[in-house]
Amino acid sequence: TCVRKGDAVSARHALARAHRLASSSGLKPHQAWILASWGNVFRCTGETRKAFRCYEAAKRLWENMGNTAQSQKIAVLEGTLTYT
């Protein structure tokens, strides 16, 4: 929502906090969703390579958890990235 409103700074702060909480709690699904959200932020700010790395990390987490459906959703996002 922050990125849609043009406030990438707030989005980054919120995601950094959420990532710290999810990581310290060992919540793998939340970590994967947060990484995908980071990818979305980077996509919206034109940081394509960072977006790709976040999507890749999220996809690996989902695969390691055996959730191919979520991994495939991330692969779709990843496949729509355009490099300049």
Side-chain angles (χ1 to χ4, degrees), residues 35-74:
L35 282 165
S37 293
W38 271 111
N40 294 337
V41 168
F42 290 133
R43 171 198 297 272
C44 290
T45 58
E47 298 172 83
T48 307
R49 294 197 191 291
K50 288 182 180 179
F52 179 82
R53 286 194 300 271
C54 288
Y55 290 148
E56 275 293 300
K59 197 168 66 168
R60 275 192 309 275
L61 272 174
W62 286 121
E63 289 168 356
N64 290 340
M65 289 184 278
N67 192 327
T68 55
Q70 286 294 337
S71 177
Q72 289 169 350
K73 286 180 184 180
I74 301 300

